[in-house]
Amino acid sequence: MGGTLRELRPTLVWALIGVIFTLAAPSVLQLFTIINLTTAIALAVLALSLALVWGYGGILCFGQVAFFGLGAYAYTIGAINFGGSTWAILVAVMVASAFAAALGYFIFYGRVSDVYLGVITLTVTLILFSLIRRTSGPEYKIGNALLGGFNGVSSPPLNAPWDARAILFPEQVFYVAMAALIILYVFVGWLVTTHFGRVCVAIRENETRAELLGYDTRLYKLGIFTIGAGIAAIGGVLFCNGVGRVTPDVFSLYNAALTIIWVIVGGRGTLIGPIGATFGLFYLTASLGGQSVFNNNLVLGIILILFVLLVPKGVAPTIVDWTRGRRRAPGRTRRRRARPEGGA
């Protein structure tokens, strides 16, 4: 227990910083900024899900936005039909998790290699993108919810649990989004310290060795893949509440690639790194959107190339390594000064 708390200490420190920011932000920032922050938080939850699946499970999923989009659509459709968001959130997580479990079963138990896994997940995402765009007619509806085709569908706002009439205001949605991000961050930080998480890391490092030790690697990979999908679905719920609607663009190739970039820039094998990279790149692309000199995609491509070449580990691991090096340097200097001049 003591070892687990020791490992969780950095996670809890960042969670505490998140709590302080949550309490201070609404009194300092304008409403427009709070709404934009809610969208960025939703994308940070998506990045966290891929940080778990890829960084700790070793599963390069190019289609993490598929579960993100399914969560957004399932929530919207459920909220319209249920008349409230309480059960709709649960439905969103269940739909995305069930879809990931079914897809992952055929991938992992079919012994699909990592390269083909990435291709399959990306293909599934693009199929969903193309499929939803073709649902423009009035006949395409689920219960009372029209799918809306490429125009999308308006998402009902979050309401207080079990009271559909108590609609949450943007500031309250921000509190909910930050609470979800902090709770999920701590949950994932705890999960990777458990026996399950350690086995997943062992599989990432050497799957054959893990199998020889008696672990069913397929089951563990399916488990972390499904958990990651459920987390991504929560991000989708927050996203459509921040934006106010959901469109097929959530399944686009641009969003699929952007999620990979967040994890690479932030640092694969870390949790806070991809979250920080998401916020940074979100506001970078937002600022670039107000000018016409540089193309957003070109800038993001250059950033990706530079980080792969110059900071291959990502921002967070590089900062940690640099800090540890600085701490060790004084000790080495003192030992070097204490050594006699004629010493070996």
Side-chain angles (χ1 to χ4, degrees), residues 31 46 67 101 107 121 134 139 147 236-237 242 245-246 290 339:
L31 178 60
L46 171 61
F67 315 122
I107 290 176
T121 53
R134 300 174 185 273
E139 67 275 14
L147 296 180
V237 172
R245 65 186 300 104
V246 56
R339 183 181 302 165

Side-chain angles (χ1 to χ4, degrees), residues 265-312:
V265 172
R268 181 187 168 203
T270 68
L271 299 177
I272 195 62
I275 292 174
T278 303
F279 282 103
L281 292 177
F282 175 83
Y283 281 99
L284 174 63
T285 53
S287 61
L288 290 174
Q291 53 82 43
S292 58
V293 178
F294 301 104
N295 182 275
N296 285 6
N297 296 334
L298 177 62
V299 173
L300 289 174
I302 293 173
I303 291 173
L304 176 62
I305 293 172
L306 289 176
F307 271 88
V308 169
L309 294 177
L310 303 178
V311 195

Side-chain angles (χ1 to χ4, degrees), residues 126-239:
L126 296 180
I127 289 173
L128 290 171
F129 174 69
S130 178
L131 183 65
I132 298 297
R133 284 176 62 89
R134 300 174 185 273
T135 58
S136 299
E139 67 275 14
Y140 295 105
K141 64 179 182 178
I142 300 177
N144 298 320
L146 290 170
L147 296 180
F150 55 85
N151 290 320
V153 55
S154 297
S155 300
L158 289 173
N159 55 257
W162 319 116
D163 187 0
R165 296 171 297 179
I167 303 299
L168 301 186
F169 293 105
E171 294 91 344
Q172 295 170 314
V173 175
F174 166 76
Y175 285 128
V176 171
M178 275 302 299
L181 176 60
I182 292 170
I183 291 171
L184 289 171
Y185 173 65
V186 174
F187 166 73
V188 174
W190 166 81
L191 182 67
V192 298
T193 65
T194 62
H195 176 74
F196 172 82
R198 296 182 191 279
V199 173
C200 288
V201 171
I203 294 170
R204 179 197 69 186
E205 296 300 322
N206 193 320
E207 185 171 350
T208 302
R209 183 181 298 172
E211 285 185 333
L212 292 175
L213 290 172
Y215 294 108
D216 186 350
T217 60
R218 301 167 300 179
L219 182 61
Y220 280 91
K221 291 170 79 171
L222 178 61
I224 199 169
F225 189 68
T226 304
I227 293 171
I231 295 173
I234 295 174
V237 172
L238 298 174
F239 179 79

